[in-house]
């Protein structure tokens, strides 16, 4: 569902573009470097969370210039509008990111505004995020998962889609274009010549929930209410080991 179908103000769109391309994208690259090396500290997580949340503020500001956009409803639609991929156990990534940002800025979280999240996760406080060995975990009585990888990583990916023009901004805010982690998309010809690439990818797939390889994936230790996490392999559904091996053998003859 689109929020508006008119052109936003050029000055506002350019401001948003500057924020995305000069602040959010560079900070994403820096943050993911820390993430890959398991060197994320608590202040890194809260800072990057704030940068992502501030992008939402820009979007609401632009939308409110041309239509009435209720911030709470606006954010609640984000996960669906942008098809945010990653962990299926957390289907309210944007709302949780917004709540974490507000509990960081304010002494107390507005209970009524986040009542649905509190019902799911319990009380949310500054201590809901906790560092451990270079990772930042979201912890509550019934949930425990890597917040940076499960929530912020897929959200950051949607902003990295080459936004350059006012039209791009309008298309992005309305969910017509966005970036993604790329999971589930396999650019193969399914011919013998790409069999080796398919084998390499099939044997080294990432977990779609956390972005780590199988040997490093912590998802089996994550708790999502009554469910536990697991390694969710980004594997081509058309990958059949015997067929791929046969194609590889054929290319060597």
């Amino acid at each position: 569902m689109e929020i508006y179908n008119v052109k936003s103000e050029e000055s506002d769109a350019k401001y948003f573009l500057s924020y995305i391309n000069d602040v959010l994208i560079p900070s994403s690259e820096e943050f993911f470097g820390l993430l890959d090396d398991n060197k994320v500290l608590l202040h890194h997580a809260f800072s990057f969370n704030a940068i992502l949340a501030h992008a939402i503020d820009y979007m609401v500001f632009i939308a409110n210039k041309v239509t009435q956009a209720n911030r709470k409803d606006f954010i609640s639609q984000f996960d669906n509008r942008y098809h945010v991929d990653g962990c299926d156990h957390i289907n309210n990534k944007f709302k949780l990111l917004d709540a974490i940002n507000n509990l960081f800025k304010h002494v107390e979280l507005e209970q009524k505004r986040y009542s649905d999240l509190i019902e799911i996760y319990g009380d949310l406080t500054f201590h809901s995020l906790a560092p451990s060995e270079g990772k930042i975990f979201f912890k509550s009585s019934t949930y425990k998962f890597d917040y940076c990888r499960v929530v912020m990583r897929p959200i950051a990916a949607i902003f990295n889609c080459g936004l350059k023009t006012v039209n791009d901004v309008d298309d992005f805010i309305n969910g017509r274009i966005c970036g993604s982690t790329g999971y589930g998309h396999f650019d193969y010809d399914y011919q013998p010549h790409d069999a080796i690439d398919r084998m390499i990818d099939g044997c080294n797939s990432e977990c779609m929930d956390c972005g780590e390889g199988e040997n490093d994936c912590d998802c089996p230790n994550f708790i999502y209410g009554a469910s536990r996490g697991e390694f969710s392999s980004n594997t081509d559904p058309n990958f059949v080991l015997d067929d791929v091996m046969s194609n590889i053998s054929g290319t060597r003859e």
Side-chain angles (χ1 to χ4, degrees):
M1 180 179 177
E2 294 187 353
I3 301 171
Y4 59 86
N5 56 11
V6 297
K7 192 171 184 177
S8 60
E9 293 188 18
E10 184 174 358
S11 59
D12 295 335
K14 286 184 175 179
Y15 206 77
F16 178 70
L17 287 170
S18 177
Y19 182 77
I20 295 299
N21 295 316
D22 298 336
V23 178
L24 194 150
I25 299 301
S27 64
S28 294
E29 294 171 352
E30 182 178 301
F31 183 78
F32 290 133
L34 295 171
L35 193 67
D36 290 342
D37 294 334
N38 290 327
K39 292 183 178 179
V40 180
L41 300 177
L42 193 58
H43 69 276
H44 296 141
F46 276 118
S47 296
F48 188 54
N49 194 89
I51 288 172
L52 292 173
H54 196 43
I56 299 172
D57 295 333
Y58 277 107
M59 295 162 69
V60 174
F61 175 79
I62 291 172
N64 270 325
K65 287 287 192 75
V66 293
T67 187
Q68 284 192 327
N70 178 281
R71 193 177 194 280
K72 182 178 179 180
D73 294 339
F74 193 69
I75 293 174
S76 68
Q77 299 169 9
F78 273 21
D79 279 278
N80 290 328
R81 177 174 296 123
Y82 298 110
H83 309 288
V84 178
D85 51 15
C87 182
D88 290 335
H89 295 292
I90 306 295
N91 294 316
N92 47 23
K93 298 180 181 70
F94 269 100
K95 292 174 70 175
L96 187 56
L97 178 129
D98 181 61
I100 292 294
N101 184 56
N102 275 284
L103 64 84
F104 176 60
K105 293 192 300 182
H106 306 293
V107 176
E108 290 185 341
L109 197 65
E110 187 179 333
Q111 301 289 305
K112 185 177 180 180
R113 179 176 174 182
Y114 298 101
S115 58
D116 53 341
L117 290 182
I118 293 172
E119 184 176 348
I120 296 171
Y121 301 112
D123 289 337
L124 298 171
T125 72
F126 172 79
H127 296 293
S128 294
L129 297 190
S132 178
E133 298 181 351
K135 298 182 178 183
I136 305 298
F137 289 91
F138 177 92
K139 292 184 177 181
S140 71
S141 59
T142 54
Y143 280 79
K144 178 187 176 183
F145 55 87
D146 187 328
Y147 181 80
C148 299
R149 288 182 168 86
V150 170
V151 175
M152 289 199 287
R153 183 181 62 92
I155 287 179
I158 74 160
F159 292 99
N160 193 4
C161 57
L163 300 178
K164 295 180 180 179
T165 68
V166 175
N167 288 337
D168 288 345
V169 171
D170 291 332
D171 285 342
F172 179 78
I173 292 176
N174 285 284
R176 293 189 287 266
I177 61 172
C178 63
S180 75
T181 57
Y183 294 139
H185 301 284
F186 303 94
D187 189 20
Y188 303 130
D189 294 326
Y190 295 102
Q191 298 297 322
H193 66 78
D194 62 13
I196 293 177
D197 289 337
R198 293 176 63 200
M199 178 63 75
I200 292 173
D201 292 342
C203 294
N204 297 278
S205 62
E206 285 187 355
C207 175
M208 294 185 287
D209 289 359
C210 71
E212 295 199 281
E214 187 170 10
N215 291 334
D216 297 318
C217 175
D218 283 338
C219 288
N221 298 317
F222 297 168
I223 302 171
Y224 302 101
S227 302
R228 295 193 73 93
E230 61 181 359
F231 177 69
S232 181
S233 177
N234 181 41
T235 303
D236 180 4
N238 296 313
F239 180 87
V240 178
L241 181 61
D242 290 343
D243 291 345
V244 176
M245 287 293 293
S246 177
N247 285 331
I248 291 175
S249 298
T251 60
R252 292 176 176 175
E253 294 177 355

